[in-house]
PDB file of all heavy atoms in Angstrom:
ATOM      1  N   PHE A   1     156.109 -53.825 -73.081  1.00  0.00           N
ATOM      2  CA  PHE A   1     156.866 -54.951 -72.546  1.00  0.00           C
ATOM      3  C   PHE A   1     158.235 -55.056 -73.218  1.00  0.00           C
ATOM      4  O   PHE A   1     159.261 -55.258 -72.556  1.00  0.00           O
ATOM      5  CB  PHE A   1     156.060 -56.246 -72.736  1.00  0.00           C
ATOM      6  CG  PHE A   1     156.764 -57.472 -72.256  1.00  0.00           C
ATOM      7  CD1 PHE A   1     156.915 -57.720 -70.898  1.00  0.00           C
ATOM      8  CD2 PHE A   1     157.271 -58.385 -73.161  1.00  0.00           C
ATOM      9  CE1 PHE A   1     157.575 -58.858 -70.455  1.00  0.00           C
ATOM     10  CE2 PHE A   1     157.931 -59.524 -72.725  1.00  0.00           C
ATOM     11  CZ  PHE A   1     158.081 -59.763 -71.369  1.00  0.00           C
ATOM     12  N   GLN A   2     158.262 -54.897 -74.546  1.00  0.00           N
ATOM     13  CA  GLN A   2     159.531 -54.966 -75.272  1.00  0.00           C
ATOM     14  C   GLN A   2     160.479 -53.838 -74.856  1.00  0.00           C
ATOM     15  O   GLN A   2     161.690 -54.056 -74.732  1.00  0.00           O
ATOM     16  CB  GLN A   2     159.286 -54.936 -76.779  1.00  0.00           C
ATOM     17  CG  GLN A   2     158.658 -56.207 -77.301  1.00  0.00           C
ATOM     18  CD  GLN A   2     158.328 -56.135 -78.776  1.00  0.00           C
ATOM     19  OE1 GLN A   2     158.703 -55.204 -79.479  1.00  0.00           O
ATOM     20  NE2 GLN A   2     157.614 -57.138 -79.269  1.00  0.00           N
ATOM     21  N   LEU A   3     159.929 -52.653 -74.654  1.00  0.00           N
ATOM     22  CA  LEU A   3     160.773 -51.542 -74.197  1.00  0.00           C
ATOM     23  C   LEU A   3     161.382 -51.854 -72.830  1.00  0.00           C
ATOM     24  O   LEU A   3     162.560 -51.568 -72.587  1.00  0.00           O
ATOM     25  CB  LEU A   3     159.964 -50.238 -74.149  1.00  0.00           C
ATOM     26  CG  LEU A   3     159.563 -49.651 -75.501  1.00  0.00           C
ATOM     27  CD1 LEU A   3     158.596 -48.487 -75.312  1.00  0.00           C
ATOM     28  CD2 LEU A   3     160.800 -49.206 -76.283  1.00  0.00           C
ATOM     29  N   LEU A   4     160.591 -52.440 -71.950  1.00  0.00           N
ATOM     30  CA  LEU A   4     161.111 -52.823 -70.637  1.00  0.00           C
ATOM     31  C   LEU A   4     162.162 -53.921 -70.757  1.00  0.00           C
ATOM     32  O   LEU A   4     163.197 -53.877 -70.068  1.00  0.00           O
ATOM     33  CB  LEU A   4     159.972 -53.278 -69.720  1.00  0.00           C
ATOM     34  CG  LEU A   4     159.075 -52.175 -69.179  1.00  0.00           C
ATOM     35  CD1 LEU A   4     157.897 -52.774 -68.423  1.00  0.00           C
ATOM     36  CD2 LEU A   4     159.862 -51.220 -68.301  1.00  0.00           C
ATOM     37  N   GLU A   5     161.910 -54.906 -71.614  1.00  0.00           N
ATOM     38  CA  GLU A   5     162.885 -55.980 -71.817  1.00  0.00           C
ATOM     39  C   GLU A   5     164.211 -55.448 -72.351  1.00  0.00           C
ATOM     40  O   GLU A   5     165.269 -55.966 -72.014  1.00  0.00           O
ATOM     41  CB  GLU A   5     162.344 -57.033 -72.795  1.00  0.00           C
ATOM     42  CG  GLU A   5     161.519 -58.100 -72.149  1.00  0.00           C
ATOM     43  CD  GLU A   5     161.313 -59.276 -73.091  1.00  0.00           C
ATOM     44  OE1 GLU A   5     161.213 -59.087 -74.317  1.00  0.00           O
ATOM     45  OE2 GLU A   5     161.251 -60.405 -72.566  1.00  0.00           O
ATOM     46  N   GLN A   6     164.159 -54.419 -73.175  1.00  0.00           N
ATOM     47  CA  GLN A   6     165.356 -53.820 -73.744  1.00  0.00           C
ATOM     48  C   GLN A   6     165.969 -52.782 -72.802  1.00  0.00           C
ATOM     49  O   GLN A   6     166.927 -52.105 -73.167  1.00  0.00           O
ATOM     50  CB  GLN A   6     165.033 -53.176 -75.097  1.00  0.00           C
ATOM     51  CG  GLN A   6     164.574 -54.147 -76.145  1.00  0.00           C
ATOM     52  CD  GLN A   6     164.016 -53.436 -77.362  1.00  0.00           C
ATOM     53  OE1 GLN A   6     164.346 -52.292 -77.658  1.00  0.00           O
ATOM     54  NE2 GLN A   6     163.146 -54.119 -78.101  1.00  0.00           N
ATOM     55  N   GLU A   7     165.369 -52.645 -71.621  1.00  0.00           N
ATOM     56  CA  GLU A   7     165.809 -51.695 -70.599  1.00  0.00           C
ATOM     57  C   GLU A   7     165.785 -50.252 -71.103  1.00  0.00           C
ATOM     58  O   GLU A   7     166.633 -49.438 -70.746  1.00  0.00           O
ATOM     59  CB  GLU A   7     167.185 -52.078 -70.059  1.00  0.00           C
ATOM     60  CG  GLU A   7     167.172 -53.451 -69.382  1.00  0.00           C
ATOM     61  CD  GLU A   7     168.522 -53.876 -68.845  1.00  0.00           C
ATOM     62  OE1 GLU A   7     169.498 -53.100 -68.941  1.00  0.00           O
ATOM     63  OE2 GLU A   7     168.595 -55.004 -68.320  1.00  0.00           O
ATOM     64  N   LEU A   8     164.805 -49.942 -71.933  1.00  0.00           N
ATOM     65  CA  LEU A   8     164.592 -48.587 -72.435  1.00  0.00           C
ATOM     66  C   LEU A   8     163.519 -47.920 -71.571  1.00  0.00           C
ATOM     67  O   LEU A   8     162.411 -47.638 -72.013  1.00  0.00           O
ATOM     68  CB  LEU A   8     164.193 -48.620 -73.910  1.00  0.00           C
ATOM     69  CG  LEU A   8     165.229 -49.227 -74.856  1.00  0.00           C
ATOM     70  CD1 LEU A   8     164.659 -49.418 -76.251  1.00  0.00           C
ATOM     71  CD2 LEU A   8     166.481 -48.349 -74.902  1.00  0.00           C
ATOM     72  N   THR A   9     163.880 -47.673 -70.321  1.00  0.00           N
ATOM     73  CA  THR A   9     162.932 -47.190 -69.327  1.00  0.00           C
ATOM     74  C   THR A   9     162.355 -45.830 -69.694  1.00  0.00           C
ATOM     75  O   THR A   9     161.161 -45.596 -69.533  1.00  0.00           O
ATOM     76  CB  THR A   9     163.599 -47.136 -67.935  1.00  0.00           C
ATOM     77  OG1 THR A   9     164.181 -48.413 -67.664  1.00  0.00           O
ATOM     78  CG2 THR A   9     162.596 -46.791 -66.854  1.00  0.00           C
ATOM     79  N   ALA A  10     163.185 -44.928 -70.186  1.00  0.00           N
ATOM     80  CA  ALA A  10     162.699 -43.594 -70.546  1.00  0.00           C
ATOM     81  C   ALA A  10     161.662 -43.680 -71.664  1.00  0.00           C
ATOM     82  O   ALA A  10     160.613 -43.035 -71.598  1.00  0.00           O
ATOM     83  CB  ALA A  10     163.866 -42.697 -70.959  1.00  0.00           C
ATOM     84  N   GLN A  11     161.930 -44.493 -72.702  1.00  0.00           N
ATOM     85  CA  GLN A  11     160.967 -44.653 -73.791  1.00  0.00           C
ATOM     86  C   GLN A  11     159.688 -45.321 -73.297  1.00  0.00           C
ATOM     87  O   GLN A  11     158.594 -44.961 -73.721  1.00  0.00           O
ATOM     88  CB  GLN A  11     161.562 -45.468 -74.948  1.00  0.00           C
ATOM     89  CG  GLN A  11     162.599 -44.729 -75.739  1.00  0.00           C
ATOM     90  CD  GLN A  11     164.004 -45.028 -75.240  1.00  0.00           C
ATOM     91  OE1 GLN A  11     164.223 -45.307 -74.062  1.00  0.00           O
ATOM     92  NE2 GLN A  11     164.973 -44.953 -76.124  1.00  0.00           N
ATOM     93  N   PHE A  12     159.836 -46.292 -72.402  1.00  0.00           N
ATOM     94  CA  PHE A  12     158.672 -46.952 -71.811  1.00  0.00           C
ATOM     95  C   PHE A  12     157.779 -45.946 -71.099  1.00  0.00           C
ATOM     96  O   PHE A  12     156.563 -45.904 -71.311  1.00  0.00           O
ATOM     97  CB  PHE A  12     159.117 -48.053 -70.842  1.00  0.00           C
ATOM     98  CG  PHE A  12     158.044 -48.474 -69.878  1.00  0.00           C
ATOM     99  CD1 PHE A  12     156.990 -49.274 -70.296  1.00  0.00           C
ATOM    100  CD2 PHE A  12     158.078 -48.050 -68.558  1.00  0.00           C
ATOM    101  CE1 PHE A  12     155.986 -49.653 -69.406  1.00  0.00           C
ATOM    102  CE2 PHE A  12     157.086 -48.422 -67.665  1.00  0.00           C
ATOM    103  CZ  PHE A  12     156.039 -49.229 -68.094  1.00  0.00           C
ATOM    104  N   LEU A  13     158.382 -45.128 -70.243  1.00  0.00           N
ATOM    105  CA  LEU A  13     157.600 -44.137 -69.493  1.00  0.00           C
ATOM    106  C   LEU A  13     156.970 -43.106 -70.423  1.00  0.00           C
ATOM    107  O   LEU A  13     155.796 -42.753 -70.276  1.00  0.00           O
ATOM    108  CB  LEU A  13     158.475 -43.452 -68.444  1.00  0.00           C
ATOM    109  CG  LEU A  13     158.902 -44.328 -67.270  1.00  0.00           C
ATOM    110  CD1 LEU A  13     159.951 -43.617 -66.421  1.00  0.00           C
ATOM    111  CD2 LEU A  13     157.695 -44.729 -66.440  1.00  0.00           C
ATOM    112  N   LEU A  14     157.758 -42.633 -71.387  1.00  0.00           N
ATOM    113  CA  LEU A  14     157.239 -41.648 -72.343  1.00  0.00           C
ATOM    114  C   LEU A  14     156.067 -42.222 -73.132  1.00  0.00           C
ATOM    115  O   LEU A  14     155.028 -41.583 -73.279  1.00  0.00           O
ATOM    116  CB  LEU A  14     158.351 -41.205 -73.289  1.00  0.00           C
ATOM    117  CG  LEU A  14     157.937 -40.218 -74.389  1.00  0.00           C
ATOM    118  CD1 LEU A  14     157.500 -38.896 -73.774  1.00  0.00           C
ATOM    119  CD2 LEU A  14     159.094 -40.002 -75.348  1.00  0.00           C
ATOM    120  N   TYR A  15     156.224 -43.437 -73.629  1.00  0.00           N
ATOM    121  CA  TYR A  15     155.185 -44.082 -74.434  1.00  0.00           C
ATOM    122  C   TYR A  15     153.927 -44.337 -73.605  1.00  0.00           C
ATOM    123  O   TYR A  15     152.815 -44.004 -74.034  1.00  0.00           O
ATOM    124  CB  TYR A  15     155.740 -45.390 -75.001  1.00  0.00           C
ATOM    125  CG  TYR A  15     154.826 -46.135 -75.943  1.00  0.00           C
ATOM    126  CD1 TYR A  15     154.048 -45.476 -76.885  1.00  0.00           C
ATOM    127  CD2 TYR A  15     154.763 -47.521 -75.910  1.00  0.00           C
ATOM    128  CE1 TYR A  15     153.231 -46.174 -77.759  1.00  0.00           C
ATOM    129  CE2 TYR A  15     153.955 -48.226 -76.779  1.00  0.00           C
ATOM    130  CZ  TYR A  15     153.191 -47.544 -77.701  1.00  0.00           C
ATOM    131  OH  TYR A  15     152.384 -48.236 -78.565  1.00  0.00           O
ATOM    132  N   SER A  16     154.082 -44.892 -72.430  1.00  0.00           N
ATOM    133  CA  SER A  16     152.928 -45.216 -71.591  1.00  0.00           C
ATOM    134  C   SER A  16     152.163 -43.973 -71.174  1.00  0.00           C
ATOM    135  O   SER A  16     150.938 -43.883 -71.347  1.00  0.00           O
ATOM    136  CB  SER A  16     153.383 -45.969 -70.333  1.00  0.00           C
ATOM    137  OG  SER A  16     153.960 -47.185 -70.668  1.00  0.00           O
ATOM    138  N   ILE A  17     152.868 -43.009 -70.632  1.00  0.00           N
ATOM    139  CA  ILE A  17     152.215 -41.805 -70.114  1.00  0.00           C
ATOM    140  C   ILE A  17     151.648 -40.958 -71.248  1.00  0.00           C
ATOM    141  O   ILE A  17     150.509 -40.497 -71.182  1.00  0.00           O
ATOM    142  CB  ILE A  17     153.194 -41.005 -69.233  1.00  0.00           C
ATOM    143  CG1 ILE A  17     153.526 -41.814 -67.964  1.00  0.00           C
ATOM    144  CG2 ILE A  17     152.622 -39.637 -68.871  1.00  0.00           C
ATOM    145  CD1 ILE A  17     154.691 -41.275 -67.159  1.00  0.00           C
ATOM    146  N   SER A  18     152.438 -40.773 -72.315  1.00  0.00           N
ATOM    147  CA  SER A  18     151.944 -39.933 -73.412  1.00  0.00           C
ATOM    148  C   SER A  18     150.749 -40.581 -74.113  1.00  0.00           C
ATOM    149  O   SER A  18     149.829 -39.889 -74.558  1.00  0.00           O
ATOM    150  CB  SER A  18     153.054 -39.612 -74.411  1.00  0.00           C
ATOM    151  OG  SER A  18     153.532 -40.779 -75.026  1.00  0.00           O
ATOM    152  N   SER A  19     150.727 -41.904 -74.215  1.00  0.00           N
ATOM    153  CA  SER A  19     149.584 -42.587 -74.829  1.00  0.00           C
ATOM    154  C   SER A  19     148.322 -42.377 -74.012  1.00  0.00           C
ATOM    155  O   SER A  19     147.258 -42.048 -74.558  1.00  0.00           O
ATOM    156  CB  SER A  19     149.863 -44.087 -74.965  1.00  0.00           C
ATOM    157  OG  SER A  19     150.880 -44.330 -75.884  1.00  0.00           O
ATOM    158  N   PHE A  20     148.428 -42.556 -72.715  1.00  0.00           N
ATOM    159  CA  PHE A  20     147.262 -42.409 -71.845  1.00  0.00           C
ATOM    160  C   PHE A  20     146.757 -40.969 -71.830  1.00  0.00           C
ATOM    161  O   PHE A  20     145.569 -40.712 -72.059  1.00  0.00           O
ATOM    162  CB  PHE A  20     147.606 -42.866 -70.423  1.00  0.00           C
ATOM    163  CG  PHE A  20     146.440 -42.808 -69.488  1.00  0.00           C
ATOM    164  CD1 PHE A  20     145.454 -43.773 -69.527  1.00  0.00           C
ATOM    165  CD2 PHE A  20     146.327 -41.767 -68.579  1.00  0.00           C
ATOM    166  CE1 PHE A  20     144.361 -43.710 -68.669  1.00  0.00           C
ATOM    167  CE2 PHE A  20     145.240 -41.692 -67.719  1.00  0.00           C
ATOM    168  CZ  PHE A  20     144.261 -42.668 -67.768  1.00  0.00           C
ATOM    169  N   VAL A  21     147.660 -40.022 -71.603  1.00  0.00           N
ATOM    170  CA  VAL A  21     147.262 -38.612 -71.525  1.00  0.00           C
ATOM    171  C   VAL A  21     146.746 -38.121 -72.875  1.00  0.00           C
ATOM    172  O   VAL A  21     145.693 -37.475 -72.954  1.00  0.00           O
ATOM    173  CB  VAL A  21     148.431 -37.742 -71.008  1.00  0.00           C
ATOM    174  CG1 VAL A  21     148.122 -36.259 -71.127  1.00  0.00           C
ATOM    175  CG2 VAL A  21     148.761 -38.109 -69.560  1.00  0.00           C
ATOM    176  N   SER A  22     147.475 -38.429 -73.947  1.00  0.00           N
ATOM    177  CA  SER A  22     147.042 -37.996 -75.281  1.00  0.00           C
ATOM    178  C   SER A  22     145.704 -38.616 -75.660  1.00  0.00           C
ATOM    179  O   SER A  22     144.848 -37.948 -76.246  1.00  0.00           O
ATOM    180  CB  SER A  22     148.084 -38.382 -76.337  1.00  0.00           C
ATOM    181  OG  SER A  22     149.295 -37.751 -76.087  1.00  0.00           O
ATOM    182  N   GLY A  23     145.517 -39.894 -75.337  1.00  0.00           N
ATOM    183  CA  GLY A  23     144.251 -40.555 -75.633  1.00  0.00           C
ATOM    184  C   GLY A  23     143.079 -39.881 -74.943  1.00  0.00           C
ATOM    185  O   GLY A  23     142.036 -39.626 -75.546  1.00  0.00           O
ATOM    186  N   LEU A  24     143.249 -39.583 -73.657  1.00  0.00           N
ATOM    187  CA  LEU A  24     142.178 -38.888 -72.921  1.00  0.00           C
ATOM    188  C   LEU A  24     141.911 -37.502 -73.487  1.00  0.00           C
ATOM    189  O   LEU A  24     140.756 -37.103 -73.672  1.00  0.00           O
ATOM    190  CB  LEU A  24     142.537 -38.771 -71.437  1.00  0.00           C
ATOM    191  CG  LEU A  24     142.321 -40.002 -70.587  1.00  0.00           C
ATOM    192  CD1 LEU A  24     142.825 -39.754 -69.165  1.00  0.00           C
ATOM    193  CD2 LEU A  24     140.851 -40.389 -70.558  1.00  0.00           C
TER     194      LEU A  24
END
């Protein structure tokens, strides 16, 4: 949410996707 609020879209996408894929 904070990344989105700061308009850091690339970091948001990287963090979300890499967390999910890496976790699995």
Side-chain angles (χ1 to χ4, degrees):
F1 178 73
Q2 289 176 9
L3 290 171
L4 286 173
E5 273 194 326
Q6 297 169 25
E7 298 179 2
L8 299 171
T9 307
Q11 288 94 330
F12 161 75
L13 290 170
L14 177 65
Y15 184 40
S16 297
I17 293 168
S18 63
S19 293
F20 183 77
V21 171
S22 298
L24 281 176

